[in-house]
């Protein structure tokens, strides 16, 4: 038994509790797939060597979409929502967000398993009630506009790295 477990029995590594296939489930609209494929996925998988669940690649054929969503969220340490105008219009993204929130509450998991990335500014009038709740009560990351080598983008990637590589969870 490691010293952390001995001294702080309520703290543990999530991987020691259950086997998980993914470091993060990425919830995004098809309209934002270019950003996910060209920006997020290379950074997280190639640079950070994390395993992402991306529906276009990792969902199992023959299962209905809702079962795939639930099964893969359960197999992921974190759920990352890529919020945009496309996201708020997607019924699948809304389902993923509601399911993740429900599962988080049911399992009494720390809310740090949920991360919201605002890909663009979305008017609150266009958001669902649950998304408004998260935007108004949780800190989220905002994708900065500007050049690829911009200091703000570098800061974004550093913040994201700090959040997704934090393996410690409190239940």
């Amino acid at each position: 038994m490691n010293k952390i477990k001995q001294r702080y029995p309520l703290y543990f590594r999530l991987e020691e509790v259950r086997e998980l296939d993914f470091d993060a489930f990425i919830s995004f609209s098809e309209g934002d797939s270019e950003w996910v494929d060209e920006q997020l996925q290379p950074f997280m998988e190639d640079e950070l060597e994390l395993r992402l669940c991306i529906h276009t690649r990792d969902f199992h054929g023959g299962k209905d979409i809702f079962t795939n969503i639930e099964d893969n969220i359960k197999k992921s340490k974190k759920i990352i929502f890529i919020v945009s105008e496309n996201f708020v219009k997607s019924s699948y993204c809304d389902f993923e967000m509601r399911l993740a929130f429900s599962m988080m509450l049911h399992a009494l998991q720390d809310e740090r398993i949920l991360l919201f990335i605002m890909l663009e500014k979305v008017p609150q009038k266009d958001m669902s009630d649950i998304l408004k709740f998260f935007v108004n009560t949780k800190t989220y990351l905002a994708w900065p506009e500007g050049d690829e080598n911009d200091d703000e983008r570098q800061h974004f990637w550093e913040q994201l790295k700090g959040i997704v590589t934090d393996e410690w969870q409190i239940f």
Side-chain angles (χ1 to χ4, degrees):
M1 183 182 266
N2 67 38
K3 290 181 182 178
I4 297 289
K5 281 187 174 179
Q6 290 173 341
R7 294 180 81 200
Y8 306 101
L10 295 178
Y11 291 77
F12 51 87
R13 286 181 180 266
L14 196 53
E15 307 88 68
E16 293 174 3
V17 176
R18 59 186 167 135
E19 289 295 317
L20 297 172
D21 294 340
F22 304 105
D23 293 298
F25 178 94
I26 310 299
S27 175
F28 66 98
S29 166
E30 280 297 315
D32 300 318
S33 60
E34 182 178 327
W35 185 85
V36 170
D37 294 343
E38 295 177 8
Q39 298 285 336
L40 185 68
Q41 185 178 351
F43 176 75
M44 293 184 73
E45 290 187 334
D46 299 340
E47 291 187 40
L48 301 182
E49 298 181 351
L50 298 174
R51 297 163 303 173
L52 302 181
C53 179
I54 297 176
H55 68 269
T56 53
R57 177 188 68 194
D58 298 308
F59 279 15
H60 296 287
K63 283 186 178 179
D64 71 76
I65 188 78
F66 299 106
T67 302
N68 262 313
I69 291 169
E70 183 175 1
D71 289 350
N72 286 294
I73 284 177
K74 286 179 180 177
K75 295 178 191 175
S76 302
K77 294 178 195 173
K78 293 186 185 291
I79 302 116
I80 300 174
F81 300 96
I82 310 303
V83 181
S84 66
E85 290 282 348
N86 296 319
F87 182 93
V88 298
K89 294 175 185 170
S90 169
S91 58
Y92 290 118
C93 292
D94 187 64
F95 175 77
E96 291 168 348
M97 186 175 43
R98 290 177 188 281
L99 179 64
F101 182 67
S102 174
M103 291 169 69
M104 180 191 76
L105 290 177
H106 180 71
L108 299 176
Q109 292 180 335
D110 189 318
E111 67 181 23
R112 289 179 297 164
I113 66 166
L114 304 180
L115 172 62
F116 291 80
I117 295 175
M118 300 298 285
L119 196 56
E120 60 191 8
K121 291 181 181 177
V122 177
Q124 287 214 0
K125 68 177 181 56
D126 295 340
M127 295 180 186
S128 66
D129 290 340
I130 194 164
L131 182 56
K132 279 184 211 172
F133 170 78
F134 282 122
V135 169
N136 291 326
T137 62
K138 268 183 83 55
T139 303
Y140 55 84
L141 292 179
W143 176 248
E145 298 176 12
D147 293 337
E148 207 169 296
N149 297 321
D150 188 287
D151 288 341
E152 289 181 21
R153 286 209 181 165
Q154 184 62 33
H155 182 67
F156 171 88
W157 293 122
E158 289 170 8
Q159 285 183 306
L160 181 60
K161 178 181 178 180
I163 293 167
V164 298
T165 58
D166 176 19
E167 297 177 316
W168 297 95
Q169 298 291 323
I170 304 169
F171 287 73

mmCIF file of all heavy atoms in Angstrom, residues 22-62:
data_model
loop_
_atom_site.group_PDB
_atom_site.id
_atom_site.type_symbol
_atom_site.label_atom_id
_atom_site.label_comp_id
_atom_site.label_asym_id
_atom_site.label_seq_id
_atom_site.Cartn_x
_atom_site.Cartn_y
_atom_site.Cartn_z
ATOM 1 N N PHE A 22 -9.874 5.037 -21.456
ATOM 2 C CA PHE A 22 -9.551 6.359 -21.984
ATOM 3 C C PHE A 22 -9.215 7.355 -20.870
ATOM 4 O O PHE A 22 -9.796 7.300 -19.792
ATOM 5 C CB PHE A 22 -10.736 6.914 -22.794
ATOM 6 C CG PHE A 22 -11.174 6.006 -23.909
ATOM 7 C CD1 PHE A 22 -12.329 5.257 -23.797
ATOM 8 C CD2 PHE A 22 -10.415 5.893 -25.065
ATOM 9 C CE1 PHE A 22 -12.739 4.413 -24.817
ATOM 10 C CE2 PHE A 22 -10.811 5.056 -26.094
ATOM 11 C CZ PHE A 22 -11.984 4.305 -25.972
ATOM 12 N N ASP A 23 -8.313 8.247 -21.191
ATOM 13 C CA ASP A 23 -8.021 9.354 -20.276
ATOM 14 C C ASP A 23 -9.108 10.403 -20.365
ATOM 15 O O ASP A 23 -9.401 11.070 -19.374
ATOM 16 C CB ASP A 23 -6.658 9.978 -20.607
ATOM 17 C CG ASP A 23 -5.525 9.011 -20.318
ATOM 18 O OD1 ASP A 23 -5.369 8.630 -19.151
ATOM 19 O OD2 ASP A 23 -4.806 8.632 -21.272
ATOM 20 N N ALA A 24 -9.719 10.548 -21.548
ATOM 21 C CA ALA A 24 -10.773 11.551 -21.705
ATOM 22 C C ALA A 24 -11.729 11.160 -22.829
ATOM 23 O O ALA A 24 -11.304 10.672 -23.882
ATOM 24 C CB ALA A 24 -10.182 12.925 -21.994
ATOM 25 N N PHE A 25 -12.984 11.403 -22.563
ATOM 26 C CA PHE A 25 -14.047 11.303 -23.572
ATOM 27 C C PHE A 25 -14.237 12.713 -24.108
ATOM 28 O O PHE A 25 -14.423 13.647 -23.330
ATOM 29 C CB PHE A 25 -15.338 10.802 -22.911
ATOM 30 C CG PHE A 25 -16.512 10.716 -23.841
ATOM 31 C CD1 PHE A 25 -16.816 9.525 -24.481
ATOM 32 C CD2 PHE A 25 -17.335 11.818 -24.056
ATOM 33 C CE1 PHE A 25 -17.919 9.438 -25.330
ATOM 34 C CE2 PHE A 25 -18.431 11.743 -24.896
ATOM 35 C CZ PHE A 25 -18.722 10.544 -25.544
ATOM 36 N N ILE A 26 -14.176 12.877 -25.428
ATOM 37 C CA ILE A 26 -14.317 14.195 -26.035
ATOM 38 C C ILE A 26 -15.720 14.323 -26.623
ATOM 39 O O ILE A 26 -16.097 13.581 -27.527
ATOM 40 C CB ILE A 26 -13.262 14.435 -27.141
ATOM 41 C CG1 ILE A 26 -11.851 14.101 -26.633
ATOM 42 C CG2 ILE A 26 -13.353 15.865 -27.659
ATOM 43 C CD1 ILE A 26 -11.371 14.925 -25.461
ATOM 44 N N SER A 27 -16.489 15.264 -26.072
ATOM 45 C CA SER A 27 -17.842 15.528 -26.561
ATOM 46 C C SER A 27 -17.786 16.765 -27.445
ATOM 47 O O SER A 27 -17.442 17.853 -26.978
ATOM 48 C CB SER A 27 -18.793 15.763 -25.379
ATOM 49 O OG SER A 27 -20.075 16.130 -25.848
ATOM 50 N N PHE A 28 -18.105 16.585 -28.722
ATOM 51 C CA PHE A 28 -18.053 17.702 -29.672
ATOM 52 C C PHE A 28 -19.021 17.461 -30.811
ATOM 53 O O PHE A 28 -19.408 16.329 -31.097
ATOM 54 C CB PHE A 28 -16.631 17.896 -30.212
ATOM 55 C CG PHE A 28 -16.132 16.752 -31.069
ATOM 56 C CD1 PHE A 28 -16.189 16.831 -32.459
ATOM 57 C CD2 PHE A 28 -15.600 15.609 -30.498
ATOM 58 C CE1 PHE A 28 -15.720 15.787 -33.249
ATOM 59 C CE2 PHE A 28 -15.132 14.558 -31.270
ATOM 60 C CZ PHE A 28 -15.194 14.644 -32.653
ATOM 61 N N SER A 29 -19.372 18.530 -31.453
ATOM 62 C CA SER A 29 -20.247 18.464 -32.614
ATOM 63 C C SER A 29 -19.414 18.135 -33.852
ATOM 64 O O SER A 29 -18.242 18.527 -33.956
ATOM 65 C CB SER A 29 -20.939 19.815 -32.801
ATOM 66 O OG SER A 29 -21.540 19.894 -34.063
ATOM 67 N N GLU A 30 -20.043 17.457 -34.794
ATOM 68 C CA GLU A 30 -19.370 17.175 -36.071
ATOM 69 C C GLU A 30 -18.856 18.452 -36.726
ATOM 70 O O GLU A 30 -17.835 18.447 -37.399
ATOM 71 C CB GLU A 30 -20.318 16.450 -37.027
ATOM 72 C CG GLU A 30 -20.454 14.985 -36.762
ATOM 73 C CD GLU A 30 -19.162 14.217 -36.943
ATOM 74 O OE1 GLU A 30 -18.430 14.424 -37.942
ATOM 75 O OE2 GLU A 30 -18.870 13.397 -36.061
ATOM 76 N N GLY A 31 -19.554 19.560 -36.520
ATOM 77 C CA GLY A 31 -19.138 20.837 -37.093
ATOM 78 C C GLY A 31 -17.812 21.351 -36.536
ATOM 79 O O GLY A 31 -17.213 22.255 -37.119
ATOM 80 N N ASP A 32 -17.345 20.774 -35.438
ATOM 81 C CA ASP A 32 -16.075 21.173 -34.827
ATOM 82 C C ASP A 32 -15.011 20.085 -34.952
ATOM 83 O O ASP A 32 -13.959 20.148 -34.308
ATOM 84 C CB ASP A 32 -16.296 21.516 -33.347
ATOM 85 C CG ASP A 32 -17.284 22.655 -33.182
ATOM 86 O OD1 ASP A 32 -17.190 23.636 -33.960
ATOM 87 O OD2 ASP A 32 -18.162 22.561 -32.303
ATOM 88 N N SER A 33 -15.278 19.094 -35.783
ATOM 89 C CA SER A 33 -14.340 17.969 -35.906
ATOM 90 C C SER A 33 -12.981 18.395 -36.457
ATOM 91 O O SER A 33 -11.962 17.816 -36.085
ATOM 92 C CB SER A 33 -14.940 16.849 -36.752
ATOM 93 O OG SER A 33 -15.245 17.308 -38.046
ATOM 94 N N GLU A 34 -12.948 19.416 -37.298
ATOM 95 C CA GLU A 34 -11.661 19.880 -37.832
ATOM 96 C C GLU A 34 -10.764 20.381 -36.693
ATOM 97 O O GLU A 34 -9.578 20.044 -36.631
ATOM 98 C CB GLU A 34 -11.872 20.990 -38.861
ATOM 99 C CG GLU A 34 -10.580 21.474 -39.496
ATOM 100 C CD GLU A 34 -10.820 22.540 -40.556
ATOM 101 O OE1 GLU A 34 -11.867 22.497 -41.239
ATOM 102 O OE2 GLU A 34 -9.948 23.425 -40.681
ATOM 103 N N TRP A 35 -11.310 21.162 -35.760
ATOM 104 C CA TRP A 35 -10.529 21.662 -34.626
ATOM 105 C C TRP A 35 -10.064 20.509 -33.732
ATOM 106 O O TRP A 35 -8.917 20.458 -33.309
ATOM 107 C CB TRP A 35 -11.338 22.678 -33.810
ATOM 108 C CG TRP A 35 -10.523 23.292 -32.709
ATOM 109 C CD1 TRP A 35 -9.683 24.361 -32.807
ATOM 110 C CD2 TRP A 35 -10.451 22.863 -31.343
ATOM 111 N NE1 TRP A 35 -9.086 24.618 -31.583
ATOM 112 C CE2 TRP A 35 -9.553 23.717 -30.668
ATOM 113 C CE3 TRP A 35 -11.069 21.843 -30.627
ATOM 114 C CZ2 TRP A 35 -9.245 23.580 -29.321
ATOM 115 C CZ3 TRP A 35 -10.767 21.695 -29.282
ATOM 116 C CH2 TRP A 35 -9.857 22.564 -28.641
ATOM 117 N N VAL A 36 -10.961 19.575 -33.479
ATOM 118 C CA VAL A 36 -10.604 18.419 -32.648
ATOM 119 C C VAL A 36 -9.504 17.610 -33.331
ATOM 120 O O VAL A 36 -8.497 17.257 -32.702
ATOM 121 C CB VAL A 36 -11.841 17.535 -32.358
ATOM 122 C CG1 VAL A 36 -11.438 16.215 -31.699
ATOM 123 C CG2 VAL A 36 -12.828 18.293 -31.471
ATOM 124 N N ASP A 37 -9.657 17.332 -34.625
ATOM 125 C CA ASP A 37 -8.683 16.517 -35.368
ATOM 126 C C ASP A 37 -7.335 17.208 -35.548
ATOM 127 O O ASP A 37 -6.296 16.546 -35.514
ATOM 128 C CB ASP A 37 -9.236 16.154 -36.753
ATOM 129 C CG ASP A 37 -10.449 15.234 -36.685
ATOM 130 O OD1 ASP A 37 -10.689 14.616 -35.624
ATOM 131 O OD2 ASP A 37 -11.177 15.152 -37.700
ATOM 132 N N GLU A 38 -7.347 18.517 -35.748
ATOM 133 C CA GLU A 38 -6.104 19.227 -36.072
ATOM 134 C C GLU A 38 -5.434 19.905 -34.887
ATOM 135 O O GLU A 38 -4.231 20.179 -34.935
ATOM 136 C CB GLU A 38 -6.371 20.259 -37.170
ATOM 137 C CG GLU A 38 -6.764 19.607 -38.486
ATOM 138 C CD GLU A 38 -7.095 20.615 -39.567
ATOM 139 O OE1 GLU A 38 -6.875 21.824 -39.360
ATOM 140 O OE2 GLU A 38 -7.597 20.187 -40.628
ATOM 141 N N GLN A 39 -6.193 20.208 -33.845
ATOM 142 C CA GLN A 39 -5.628 20.923 -32.701
ATOM 143 C C GLN A 39 -5.586 20.045 -31.447
ATOM 144 O O GLN A 39 -4.526 19.771 -30.908
ATOM 145 C CB GLN A 39 -6.443 22.200 -32.404
ATOM 146 C CG GLN A 39 -6.460 23.207 -33.525
ATOM 147 C CD GLN A 39 -5.151 23.965 -33.644
ATOM 148 O OE1 GLN A 39 -4.392 24.092 -32.693
ATOM 149 N NE2 GLN A 39 -4.877 24.480 -34.825
ATOM 150 N N LEU A 40 -6.756 19.642 -30.977
ATOM 151 C CA LEU A 40 -6.863 18.959 -29.687
ATOM 152 C C LEU A 40 -6.254 17.560 -29.699
ATOM 153 O O LEU A 40 -5.433 17.224 -28.841
ATOM 154 C CB LEU A 40 -8.334 18.884 -29.267
ATOM 155 C CG LEU A 40 -8.583 18.299 -27.874
ATOM 156 C CD1 LEU A 40 -8.061 19.238 -26.797
ATOM 157 C CD2 LEU A 40 -10.072 18.034 -27.672
ATOM 158 N N GLN A 41 -6.658 16.750 -30.651
ATOM 159 C CA GLN A 41 -6.196 15.363 -30.687
ATOM 160 C C GLN A 41 -4.676 15.243 -30.816
ATOM 161 O O GLN A 41 -4.073 14.497 -30.038
ATOM 162 C CB GLN A 41 -6.902 14.609 -31.816
ATOM 163 C CG GLN A 41 -6.584 13.133 -31.845
ATOM 164 C CD GLN A 41 -7.348 12.411 -32.951
ATOM 165 O OE1 GLN A 41 -8.230 12.977 -33.593
ATOM 166 N NE2 GLN A 41 -7.013 11.161 -33.157
ATOM 167 N N PRO A 42 -4.016 15.963 -31.727
ATOM 168 C CA PRO A 42 -2.558 15.845 -31.795
ATOM 169 C C PRO A 42 -1.869 16.273 -30.494
ATOM 170 O O PRO A 42 -0.904 15.632 -30.051
ATOM 171 C CB PRO A 42 -2.160 16.772 -32.950
ATOM 172 C CG PRO A 42 -3.392 16.908 -33.772
ATOM 173 C CD PRO A 42 -4.544 16.799 -32.816
ATOM 174 N N PHE A 43 -2.357 17.345 -29.877
ATOM 175 C CA PHE A 43 -1.748 17.800 -28.627
ATOM 176 C C PHE A 43 -1.902 16.748 -27.534
ATOM 177 O O PHE A 43 -0.928 16.372 -26.869
ATOM 178 C CB PHE A 43 -2.364 19.126 -28.171
ATOM 179 C CG PHE A 43 -1.845 19.589 -26.840
ATOM 180 C CD1 PHE A 43 -0.578 20.137 -26.722
ATOM 181 C CD2 PHE A 43 -2.622 19.457 -25.690
ATOM 182 C CE1 PHE A 43 -0.086 20.548 -25.492
ATOM 183 C CE2 PHE A 43 -2.143 19.868 -24.462
ATOM 184 C CZ PHE A 43 -0.868 20.418 -24.359
ATOM 185 N N MET A 44 -3.120 16.274 -27.354
ATOM 186 C CA MET A 44 -3.367 15.359 -26.241
ATOM 187 C C MET A 44 -2.814 13.953 -26.475
ATOM 188 O O MET A 44 -2.280 13.339 -25.559
ATOM 189 C CB MET A 44 -4.852 15.314 -25.914
ATOM 190 C CG MET A 44 -5.335 16.643 -25.345
ATOM 191 S SD MET A 44 -7.053 16.638 -24.838
ATOM 192 C CE MET A 44 -6.948 15.641 -23.352
ATOM 193 N N GLU A 45 -2.942 13.454 -27.690
ATOM 194 C CA GLU A 45 -2.481 12.086 -27.940
ATOM 195 C C GLU A 45 -1.001 12.015 -28.285
ATOM 196 O O GLU A 45 -0.302 11.129 -27.798
ATOM 197 C CB GLU A 45 -3.315 11.445 -29.048
ATOM 198 C CG GLU A 45 -4.726 11.150 -28.597
ATOM 199 C CD GLU A 45 -5.546 10.358 -29.598
ATOM 200 O OE1 GLU A 45 -5.264 10.417 -30.817
ATOM 201 O OE2 GLU A 45 -6.491 9.696 -29.159
ATOM 202 N N ASP A 46 -0.513 12.924 -29.108
ATOM 203 C CA ASP A 46 0.885 12.859 -29.526
ATOM 204 C C ASP A 46 1.828 13.486 -28.502
ATOM 205 O O ASP A 46 2.840 12.891 -28.141
ATOM 206 C CB ASP A 46 1.081 13.541 -30.886
ATOM 207 C CG ASP A 46 0.254 12.870 -31.986
ATOM 208 O OD1 ASP A 46 -0.146 11.699 -31.811
ATOM 209 O OD2 ASP A 46 -0.017 13.531 -33.004
ATOM 210 N N GLU A 47 1.498 14.681 -28.026
ATOM 211 C CA GLU A 47 2.387 15.359 -27.084
ATOM 212 C C GLU A 47 2.235 14.852 -25.657
ATOM 213 O O GLU A 47 3.222 14.651 -24.964
ATOM 214 C CB GLU A 47 2.168 16.874 -27.140
ATOM 215 C CG GLU A 47 2.646 17.484 -28.448
ATOM 216 C CD GLU A 47 2.578 18.993 -28.440
ATOM 217 O OE1 GLU A 47 2.903 19.602 -27.396
ATOM 218 O OE2 GLU A 47 2.212 19.557 -29.483
ATOM 219 N N LEU A 48 1.004 14.676 -25.203
ATOM 220 C CA LEU A 48 0.777 14.254 -23.816
ATOM 221 C C LEU A 48 0.654 12.742 -23.663
ATOM 222 O O LEU A 48 0.631 12.231 -22.548
ATOM 223 C CB LEU A 48 -0.484 14.928 -23.258
ATOM 224 C CG LEU A 48 -0.492 16.449 -23.233
ATOM 225 C CD1 LEU A 48 -1.779 16.964 -22.601
ATOM 226 C CD2 LEU A 48 0.724 16.995 -22.509
ATOM 227 N N GLU A 49 0.550 12.041 -24.783
ATOM 228 C CA GLU A 49 0.420 10.583 -24.810
ATOM 229 C C GLU A 49 -0.782 10.090 -24.001
ATOM 230 O O GLU A 49 -0.713 9.118 -23.263
ATOM 231 C CB GLU A 49 1.716 9.917 -24.346
ATOM 232 C CG GLU A 49 2.888 10.242 -25.247
ATOM 233 C CD GLU A 49 4.176 9.583 -24.815
ATOM 234 O OE1 GLU A 49 4.238 8.991 -23.720
ATOM 235 O OE2 GLU A 49 5.136 9.658 -25.593
ATOM 236 N N LEU A 50 -1.908 10.799 -24.159
ATOM 237 C CA LEU A 50 -3.147 10.412 -23.509
ATOM 238 C C LEU A 50 -4.025 9.654 -24.500
ATOM 239 O O LEU A 50 -3.877 9.794 -25.707
ATOM 240 C CB LEU A 50 -3.887 11.652 -23.003
ATOM 241 C CG LEU A 50 -3.152 12.473 -21.950
ATOM 242 C CD1 LEU A 50 -3.917 13.747 -21.637
ATOM 243 C CD2 LEU A 50 -2.923 11.659 -20.688
ATOM 244 N N ARG A 51 -4.919 8.863 -23.965
ATOM 245 C CA ARG A 51 -5.856 8.091 -24.800
ATOM 246 C C ARG A 51 -7.202 8.806 -24.787
ATOM 247 O O ARG A 51 -7.828 8.930 -23.738
ATOM 248 C CB ARG A 51 -6.018 6.684 -24.253
ATOM 249 C CG ARG A 51 -4.729 5.874 -24.289
ATOM 250 C CD ARG A 51 -4.834 4.682 -23.391
ATOM 251 N NE ARG A 51 -5.143 5.203 -22.036
ATOM 252 C CZ ARG A 51 -5.445 4.463 -20.996
ATOM 253 N NH1 ARG A 51 -5.496 3.186 -21.088
ATOM 254 N NH2 ARG A 51 -5.716 5.008 -19.814
ATOM 255 N N LEU A 52 -7.631 9.246 -25.952
ATOM 256 C CA LEU A 52 -8.902 9.949 -26.075
ATOM 257 C C LEU A 52 -9.958 9.026 -26.669
ATOM 258 O O LEU A 52 -9.652 8.197 -27.526
ATOM 259 C CB LEU A 52 -8.763 11.167 -26.984
ATOM 260 C CG LEU A 52 -7.742 12.223 -26.599
ATOM 261 C CD1 LEU A 52 -7.768 13.364 -27.598
ATOM 262 C CD2 LEU A 52 -7.988 12.726 -25.183
ATOM 263 N N CYS A 53 -11.193 9.232 -26.241
ATOM 264 C CA CYS A 53 -12.319 8.573 -26.891
ATOM 265 C C CYS A 53 -12.960 9.600 -27.807
ATOM 266 O O CYS A 53 -13.495 10.614 -27.351
ATOM 267 C CB CYS A 53 -13.340 8.080 -25.863
ATOM 268 S SG CYS A 53 -14.750 7.287 -26.666
ATOM 269 N N ILE A 54 -12.850 9.339 -29.087
ATOM 270 C CA ILE A 54 -13.425 10.208 -30.108
ATOM 271 C C ILE A 54 -14.441 9.369 -30.879
ATOM 272 O O ILE A 54 -14.101 8.317 -31.424
ATOM 273 C CB ILE A 54 -12.326 10.774 -31.019
ATOM 274 C CG1 ILE A 54 -11.391 11.643 -30.164
ATOM 275 C CG2 ILE A 54 -12.914 11.543 -32.187
ATOM 276 C CD1 ILE A 54 -10.201 12.203 -30.870
ATOM 277 N N HIS A 55 -15.674 9.842 -30.893
ATOM 278 C CA HIS A 55 -16.762 9.001 -31.385
ATOM 279 C C HIS A 55 -16.552 8.484 -32.807
ATOM 280 O O HIS A 55 -16.907 7.351 -33.103
ATOM 281 C CB HIS A 55 -18.118 9.705 -31.255
ATOM 282 C CG HIS A 55 -18.302 10.880 -32.144
ATOM 283 N ND1 HIS A 55 -17.976 12.156 -31.760
ATOM 284 C CD2 HIS A 55 -18.793 10.975 -33.397
ATOM 285 C CE1 HIS A 55 -18.261 12.987 -32.739
ATOM 286 N NE2 HIS A 55 -18.752 12.309 -33.745
ATOM 287 N N THR A 56 -15.963 9.275 -33.677
ATOM 288 C CA THR A 56 -15.794 8.841 -35.067
ATOM 289 C C THR A 56 -14.796 7.691 -35.187
ATOM 290 O O THR A 56 -14.824 6.958 -36.172
ATOM 291 C CB THR A 56 -15.321 10.017 -35.944
ATOM 292 O OG1 THR A 56 -14.150 10.595 -35.357
ATOM 293 C CG2 THR A 56 -16.413 11.071 -36.074
ATOM 294 N N ARG A 57 -13.980 7.506 -34.182
ATOM 295 C CA ARG A 57 -12.955 6.467 -34.222
ATOM 296 C C ARG A 57 -13.224 5.336 -33.244
ATOM 297 O O ARG A 57 -12.925 4.175 -33.550
ATOM 298 C CB ARG A 57 -11.598 7.118 -33.906
ATOM 299 C CG ARG A 57 -10.438 6.166 -33.838
ATOM 300 C CD ARG A 57 -9.190 6.831 -33.335
ATOM 301 N NE ARG A 57 -9.331 7.193 -31.922
ATOM 302 C CZ ARG A 57 -8.505 8.014 -31.289
ATOM 303 N NH1 ARG A 57 -7.522 8.592 -31.932
ATOM 304 N NH2 ARG A 57 -8.677 8.274 -30.010
ATOM 305 N N ASP A 58 -13.777 5.644 -32.081
ATOM 306 C CA ASP A 58 -13.790 4.677 -30.989
ATOM 307 C C ASP A 58 -15.141 4.060 -30.651
ATOM 308 O O ASP A 58 -15.202 3.150 -29.835
ATOM 309 C CB ASP A 58 -13.213 5.328 -29.720
ATOM 310 C CG ASP A 58 -11.763 5.740 -29.922
ATOM 311 O OD1 ASP A 58 -10.957 4.899 -30.362
ATOM 312 O OD2 ASP A 58 -11.446 6.912 -29.664
ATOM 313 N N PHE A 59 -16.215 4.535 -31.237
ATOM 314 C CA PHE A 59 -17.508 3.923 -30.965
ATOM 315 C C PHE A 59 -17.580 2.588 -31.699
ATOM 316 O O PHE A 59 -17.031 2.430 -32.788
ATOM 317 C CB PHE A 59 -18.656 4.827 -31.403
ATOM 318 C CG PHE A 59 -18.982 5.915 -30.413
ATOM 319 C CD1 PHE A 59 -18.127 6.274 -29.384
ATOM 320 C CD2 PHE A 59 -20.172 6.596 -30.517
ATOM 321 C CE1 PHE A 59 -18.443 7.274 -28.479
ATOM 322 C CE2 PHE A 59 -20.510 7.604 -29.620
ATOM 323 C CZ PHE A 59 -19.642 7.940 -28.604
ATOM 324 N N HIS A 60 -18.254 1.622 -31.082
ATOM 325 C CA HIS A 60 -18.351 0.278 -31.648
ATOM 326 C C HIS A 60 -19.529 0.178 -32.607
ATOM 327 O O HIS A 60 -20.647 0.561 -32.275
ATOM 328 C CB HIS A 60 -18.508 -0.759 -30.532
ATOM 329 C CG HIS A 60 -17.325 -0.819 -29.627
ATOM 330 N ND1 HIS A 60 -16.123 -1.369 -30.012
ATOM 331 C CD2 HIS A 60 -17.149 -0.358 -28.371
ATOM 332 C CE1 HIS A 60 -15.259 -1.258 -29.019
ATOM 333 N NE2 HIS A 60 -15.848 -0.645 -28.010
ATOM 334 N N GLY A 61 -19.252 -0.353 -33.782
ATOM 335 C CA GLY A 61 -20.299 -0.573 -34.768
ATOM 336 C C GLY A 61 -21.303 -1.597 -34.262
ATOM 337 O O GLY A 61 -20.950 -2.501 -33.508
ATOM 338 N N GLY A 62 -22.547 -1.436 -34.641
ATOM 339 C CA GLY A 62 -23.589 -2.372 -34.241
ATOM 340 C C GLY A 62 -24.313 -1.985 -32.972
ATOM 341 O O GLY A 62 -25.377 -2.513 -32.680
#
